[in-house]
Amino acid sequence: MDVTTDPSAPWLVAGLGNPGPEYAMNRHNVGFMVADLLAERIGGKFKRAGKAQAQVVEGRIGPPGPLNRRVILVKPMSFMNLSGGPLNALRDFYKVPLGNIVAVHDELDIDYGTLRLKLGGGDNGHNGLKSMTKVMGSDYHRVRFGIGRPPGRMQVADFVLKDFGSAERKELDYFVDRAADAVECLVIEGLERAQSTYNS
């Protein structure tokens, strides 16, 4: 697998989540929140992508010139544990190299609001990543948005499918904004620069 990024090829940025209003504010849907903000920034609206089980926005980010990048923002509509199928279909359709794919997702093992960016690695039990890795390999970029561990004896599945708490919601917009900034930095300036700026 070629994991180098190709500046001339488009980028595919996948916000991971579950479709439907009942899931909209769940911790598991923070990837959708970041994708929605990125779409707003480039002035696009998500639309159904042909036969693919996904919603897509196409646009460009970055300053005019060599750092301007073509980006396809995607929200899979297949439910989290089947995210890989629609993303792989879109990857083939848009001819996106694996090194130009970014998954934005919730991460249990990081404190709430903390970001970590990386290339490749395991899925850490995350069903969206598991599905992506199964169909395309693991060498794609990840923007990991910390949601922390469940309190007490709460099951992980219950925790991620609950809405952010009232205290968390006070800072949520700020953290989502920062995650969108991190995605833009990764796509425009590369992983190393994005890690040094946003990994905390």
Side-chain angles (χ1 to χ4, degrees):
M1 281 288 185
D2 175 21
V3 299
T4 57
T5 59
D6 178 355
S8 63
W11 282 77
L12 192 153
V13 176
L16 300 185
N18 287 308
E22 66 272 35
Y23 299 106
M25 289 304 295
N26 286 182
R27 293 181 179 92
H28 221 20
N29 268 44
V30 75
F32 274 19
M33 297 174 201
V34 175
D36 284 336
L37 179 56
L38 287 165
E40 196 180 303
R41 288 183 180 184
I42 64 173
K45 287 204 167 129
F46 277 100
K47 294 184 179 131
R48 190 75 183 213
K51 293 179 182 174
Q53 262 192 301
Q55 291 185 351
V56 169
V57 172
E58 294 181 58
R60 302 193 79 88
I61 62 171
L67 293 178
N68 191 260
R69 305 278 187 249
R70 184 179 170 216
V71 175
I72 299 106
L73 304 173
V74 185
K75 294 194 296 185
M77 294 285 116
S78 55
F79 286 96
M80 183 70 86
N81 61 345
L82 298 171
S83 301
L87 292 174
N88 203 41
L90 290 167
R91 173 198 170 198
D92 288 345
F93 179 78
Y94 288 104
K95 299 181 170 47
V96 181
L98 194 55
N100 283 34
I101 294 175
V102 183
V104 186
H105 64 92
D106 57 304
E107 178 62 65
L108 285 160
D109 286 337
I110 304 175
D111 289 341
Y112 174 59
T114 300
L115 294 177
R116 293 267 200 287
L117 287 79
K118 70 174 187 173
L119 174 64
D123 57 56
N124 203 21
H126 192 287
N127 287 330
L129 299 182
K130 202 176 284 184
S131 178
M132 286 181 68
T133 297
K134 185 176 178 184
V135 295
M136 62 177 77
S138 64
D139 294 325
Y140 50 88
H141 290 87
R142 297 105 189 276
V143 174
R144 304 155 74 207
F145 186 111
I147 60 169
R149 301 293 304 183
R153 296 185 178 179
M154 185 186 289
Q155 294 296 308
V156 164
D158 294 332
F159 179 68
V160 299
L161 292 175
K162 276 197 184 316
D163 289 358
F164 284 102
S166 55
E168 291 170 321
R169 280 201 295 273
K170 287 175 184 169
E171 295 181 292
L172 184 58
D173 286 349
Y174 168 76
F175 289 140
V176 168
D177 195 65
R178 194 164 179 270
D181 290 346
V183 172
E184 291 182 345
C185 185
L186 168 61
V187 169
I188 297 164
E189 300 185 69
L191 179 61
E192 203 172 306
R193 178 62 184 269
Q195 284 175 324
S196 67
T197 306
Y198 294 98
N199 276 14
S200 47

